[in-house]
Amino acid sequence: MKHFVSVIIMVIFVTTIFGLDLQKAESIYLNYLEAYSKKLDEPFVNDIRPIIERELPLYRFYKIRLVGSVEKTDVTKKVGDYLNVIYRKFKGTSEEEQFARAAFFAYLEAILERKKFGPSFIKASPNFNQFFNSYQNKVIFAARSYFTDLLAAHLGADIELPYDIDAPHYNFEFNYKPRYKGGYDYEIKYLTSSEELIKAFSSYVELLSKKKPEIIGKSIGRYGGLMQRNIIKVIAGLKNDYSEKIAEITPKAANFWWIRWFVYGGLLAIIFYMKKNWELILTLISISEIIYLFIAFDSLSTGNAALYGLISFFAFLSSIYIFFKNRRYLQFSMAILLLISLFVPTFFIKELVMANNSGFDNSVYYDTLFGDVVKDQYSKFSNIIKNLTSIVNSSIGETEDIVQRLKIRTKALDGKIKDENYMNVVSFEKRIFDVKNIEDELENYQIEEGIRYKQYKSSEKALKSFSKKLSRIVDEKFEADYLKELGKKLYYPEIQPTLSKIEETIKNVEDSKSAPATFIKEKWGIITFLTLSIAMFLSAVNFKQDVLWYVASIISGILMLINPLDFLVQYGVPILKVNYSFAIPIVLIPVVVLTIVRILKPSRKGV
């Protein structure tokens, strides 16, 4: 046992002394990147891959299904915050691992957000910030000791240090015990090159040199403490340095598809000048774009997806107008059916039901989901509970208050009726007035209590509705945890009947057998909509190239029905591979009908 404790102390001691080996950290980071991109066997990557590719999108899916996608918190969560849940569990032990993993999660964040992985992005990453904020405290402590020793060395102490500063040296004699234990070489070298620190250090050396030799040794520690303030100011630049190094060594992904826009522009310019071969060029552009959609289109990209989204919706709405205007009612009705299919579930997916994902109960995201849905102070559940308890407390308070006021008034009235003058016939109006005041008090209470009653029943109905929805979607563990939390919130005896109602409601709820999803939530479903919309527009304006887009919509429609689906949960979250159990592909009706109509009635234009 003593040997074990000694080993632990030795490990901590070595880690504290030597600090971060940046080259080793960079090597570990690059190893993570290669293992993740090439699906190589690496323990850490093997652990987090299923969490990122499966548990993260499931967490966001359940969260959206239960309470919507809007983050009703004091700080809006982003992709980096989702990944931080994993990072906190898999930080690593050594500082090199922690650095590498923080950088790796920052890289994943950039990939998922489809953003450039540069120094500014890395610095803003919550995972890298979490690492740096922790690590910089160790650097500050080591740097303070180093600069304190360096002050002593410049004033005459016999201390050898690896990095010096261009400042005056003196040969005072005084007693001094060195504090710096070694390590953090890279960081200290960086700090000793800072102009701001050099200036501050030189001024402190000069101030100390003017003191009496017998008090120099005692004063060095205080000035070393003053140096710490300068270190803290400069150390932010170290984050910039780390971020630049990470961005520099990270392999860059090449994407040459953007070149096609320049090619299109050049071809169109040539055609415009020559005024011929329009049909050939438009056909080539159509083929090129269809190939791009099938091979390289990223449905979660904020750039291309947004561009194609605008083009397709413009084409879709324009084709509806043109079909109706030209009395092409079959095509118009198919366009309307396509519009309807956007809102009608196409797929029914048992695999997305929480009860069918038993492993999610042990996921790192389980507590996060429970917090978002139930415990968060801004959640819908919390707001309903606040309303309920506020109304109940108000009702109890007002009822107790009216009883006390009635006691006071009836006591006063009891005293008055013992007075002969009060009971005299001349006091009819006084007695009516006094009783009328009591009546007014009761009437006001009845009105206000009636309002509170309606408000309470409305909130109770909202809680009942929320509980039913939650019970249909979640599994037994989540439901049990929810009821436990509900019992903690509604612990008042006065509100127990509502708790009993909710418990009975949940008991009678039938769980969802599958999760419905529209075709637009599937990668190939999106491509089907894009290609069909463009085909309808080209058909509406009688361009021959529409047949290419109709054929593309047929192919993508078939691919849409092949398991597993590429299910799109949300921007910034990996596409989820799931198998559907049943499908009603209404969208394929306009795809097939319009393609047949186009084949039977060829386009009338020459382009």
Side-chain angles (χ1 to χ4, degrees):
M1 183 64 186
K2 288 181 179 179
H3 176 71
F4 176 75
V5 172
S6 300
V7 170
I8 294 297
I9 292 172
M10 182 65 69
V11 170
I12 295 171
F13 179 73
V14 170
T15 302
T16 304
I17 286 181
F18 294 105
L20 175 67
D21 182 339
L22 192 59
Q23 285 189 337
K24 182 179 178 183
E26 290 174 350
S27 175
I28 295 171
Y29 165 68
L30 292 174
N31 183 47
Y32 290 157
L33 291 187
E34 184 180 22
Y36 191 82
S37 61
K38 297 181 179 179
K39 299 188 184 303
L40 302 178
D41 186 28
E42 201 288 326
F44 164 67
V45 174
N46 293 344
D47 286 338
I48 68 163
R49 189 189 299 279
I51 301 175
I52 294 169
E53 296 180 356
R54 182 79 182 175
E55 294 177 20
L56 171 55
L58 278 176
Y59 151 63
R60 293 308 299 170
F61 173 75
Y62 295 139
K63 196 270 181 183
I64 293 168
R65 198 172 177 209
L66 286 166
V67 292
S69 59
V70 178
E71 301 287 354
K72 296 179 181 178
T73 58
D74 49 354
V75 178
T76 302
K77 290 183 180 179
K78 296 183 179 179
V79 176
D81 299 300
Y82 308 152
L83 293 174
N84 188 247
V85 176
I86 311 173
Y87 175 66
R88 290 200 304 269
K89 185 175 180 180
F90 295 93
K91 276 185 182 180
T93 51
S94 69
E95 285 168 342
E96 288 77 18
E97 277 188 346
Q98 292 172 15
F99 177 95
R101 293 181 184 186
F104 177 66
F105 278 108
Y107 172 80
L108 290 178
E109 182 184 351
I111 295 298
L112 292 174
E113 289 190 356
R114 276 64 174 174
K115 290 183 179 178
K116 182 181 178 182
F117 187 63
S120 58
F121 185 91
I122 297 168
K123 287 188 294 181
S125 168
N127 301 292
F128 190 74
N129 270 317
Q130 186 173 329
F131 162 78
F132 185 80
N133 291 339
S134 173
Y135 183 67
Q136 73 174 348
N137 293 329
K138 300 174 186 177
V139 175
I140 290 169
F141 180 79
R144 173 178 171 170
S145 298
Y146 185 89
F147 279 98
T148 304
D149 284 3
L150 196 59
L151 283 171
H154 273 256
L155 291 164
D158 185 15
I159 304 172
E160 287 192 13
L161 295 167
Y163 307 109
D164 200 359
I165 280 180
D166 186 14
H169 283 78
Y170 298 91
N171 291 311
F172 298 107
E173 292 186 4
F174 54 89
N175 293 323
Y176 180 79
K177 184 179 179 180
R179 305 181 181 189
Y180 175 62
K181 304 298 182 183
Y184 300 94
D185 287 3
Y186 179 85
E187 292 80 6
I188 287 171
K189 183 179 180 181
Y190 174 85
L191 292 171
T192 53
S193 65
S194 165
E195 292 294 330
E196 184 177 340
L197 276 180
I198 292 171
K199 184 178 179 182
F201 181 85
S202 299
S203 67
Y204 293 150
V205 169
E206 186 177 350
L207 287 171
L208 282 165
S209 68
K210 294 177 181 179
K211 294 183 179 294
K212 295 178 180 180
E214 58 268 20
I215 65 169
I216 287 178
K218 298 177 181 178
S219 302
I220 288 173
R222 186 166 67 85
Y223 279 89
L226 294 175
M227 277 296 298
Q228 180 171 318
R229 293 185 300 182
N230 303 99
I231 292 168
I232 291 171
K233 290 180 184 178
V234 174
I235 207 166
L238 189 60
K239 185 197 284 189
N240 298 338
D241 187 69
Y242 285 159
S243 301
E244 287 169 3
K245 286 187 177 299
I246 293 167
E248 184 180 336
I249 65 172
T250 302
K252 307 296 186 293
N255 184 355
F256 300 106
W257 281 99
W258 56 270
I259 297 175
R260 75 190 194 281
W261 298 110
F262 292 97
V263 175
Y264 297 163
L267 290 173
L268 291 172
I270 293 171
I271 294 171
F272 184 79
Y273 177 77
M274 297 177 64
K275 300 186 183 301
K276 59 181 180 179
N277 291 328
W278 279 95
E279 182 178 353
L280 175 61
I281 297 304
L282 290 178
T283 300
L284 291 175
I285 290 176
S286 291
I287 293 172
S288 173
E289 283 304 293
I290 289 169
I291 292 172
Y292 168 77
L293 285 172
F294 276 66
I295 293 177
F297 177 68
D298 183 359
S299 51
L300 291 176
S301 166
T302 53
N304 288 337
L307 176 62
Y308 262 100
L310 289 172
I311 291 172
S312 62
F313 272 103
F314 169 79
F316 175 63
L317 295 175
S318 298
S319 60
I320 289 178
Y321 172 75
I322 296 171
F323 286 149
F324 183 77
K325 182 181 178 182
N326 294 340
R327 298 183 179 181
R328 296 165 70 176
Y329 294 125
L330 176 59
Q331 288 88 338
F332 174 76
S333 63
M334 289 299 102
I336 296 300
L337 184 59
L338 175 59
L339 178 63
I340 294 171
S341 69
L342 290 171
F343 306 98
V344 177
T346 300
F347 303 105
F348 297 86
I349 310 167
K350 289 183 178 180
E351 203 173 316
L352 287 176
V353 176
M354 190 182 292
N356 295 333
N357 285 284
S358 56
F360 188 77
D361 289 347
N362 301 315
S363 168
V364 294
Y365 286 108
Y366 179 85
D367 290 337
T368 305
L369 177 65
F370 193 79
D372 289 344
V373 176
V374 180
K375 288 190 173 183
D376 191 275
Q377 61 176 326
Y378 298 104
S379 68
K380 183 179 180 180
F381 171 77
S382 294
N383 288 332
I384 294 172
I385 295 298
K386 286 173 190 174
N387 287 337
L388 281 173
T389 53
S390 175
I391 294 165
V392 169
N393 289 333
S394 178
S395 176
I396 292 170
E398 289 298 325
T399 302
E400 291 174 345
D401 190 46
I402 187 67
V403 170
Q404 291 301 319
R405 292 202 303 272
L406 287 174
K407 283 181 180 179
I408 293 169
R409 288 189 179 277
T410 53
K411 185 176 181 181
L413 194 59
D414 184 54
K416 288 181 179 181
I417 63 175
K418 294 175 183 178
D419 184 355
E420 291 182 1
N421 292 329
Y422 185 77
M423 298 304 293
N424 196 290
V425 293
V426 298
S427 298
F428 269 109
E429 290 182 348
K430 288 183 180 180
R431 294 194 295 274
I432 292 170
F433 177 78
D434 287 343
V435 174
K436 181 72 167 56
N437 283 339
I438 296 174
E439 183 184 344
D440 288 345
E441 288 264 19
L442 287 170
E443 186 178 351
N444 289 337
Y445 170 78
Q446 285 177 317
I447 292 171
E448 291 172 3
E449 189 71 354
I451 293 171
R452 284 190 288 270
Y453 174 71
K454 289 180 180 178
Q455 290 174 337
Y456 186 84
K457 295 305 289 183
S458 176
S459 293
E460 187 182 60
K461 183 180 179 182
L463 180 60
K464 187 176 180 180
S465 175
F466 177 83
S467 300
K468 285 175 70 175
K469 179 181 178 182
L470 180 140
S471 184
R472 279 197 300 269
I473 295 170
V474 303
D475 62 4
E476 289 183 3
K477 183 179 186 302
F478 198 102
E479 187 178 288
D481 289 342
Y482 172 71
L483 285 171
K484 186 177 178 181
E485 188 69 21
L486 190 63
K488 291 179 184 177
K489 301 287 186 183
L490 305 182
Y491 63 89
Y492 306 101
E494 296 85 355
I495 209 170
Q496 280 296 312
T498 294
L499 179 59
S500 299
K501 285 182 184 178
I502 300 302
E503 288 174 342
E504 187 63 27
T505 297
I506 288 176
K507 189 186 297 182
N508 296 324
V509 170
E510 185 177 350
D511 295 339
S512 294
K513 302 301 180 185
S514 62
T518 58
F519 77 90
I520 210 72
K521 295 290 288 182
E522 206 277 335
K523 173 189 169 183
W524 291 106
I526 291 175
I527 294 174
T528 300
F529 178 79
L530 295 178
T531 52
L532 184 58
S533 296
I534 295 172
M536 287 194 305
F537 175 74
L538 294 174
S539 178
V541 295
N542 295 314
F543 273 54
K544 284 183 177 180
Q545 289 72 26
D546 62 343
V547 71
L548 296 172
W549 292 92
Y550 277 127
V551 171
S553 68
I554 287 279
I555 296 171
S556 60
I558 293 170
L559 293 173
M560 178 186 74
L561 296 176
I562 298 175
N563 270 324
L565 302 178
D566 289 324
F567 186 73
L568 280 63
V569 176
Q570 181 185 33
Y571 164 73
V573 172
I575 290 175
L576 188 60
K577 295 282 187 181
V578 290
N579 293 291
Y580 68 90
S581 51
F582 183 68
I584 306 176
I586 297 174
V587 65
L588 293 186
I589 297 174
V591 169
V592 173
V593 171
L594 290 174
T595 303
I596 292 172
V597 170
R598 170 62 180 85
I599 294 171
L600 296 177
K601 295 183 179 180
S603 176
R604 294 186 296 274
K605 273 197 176 183
V607 292

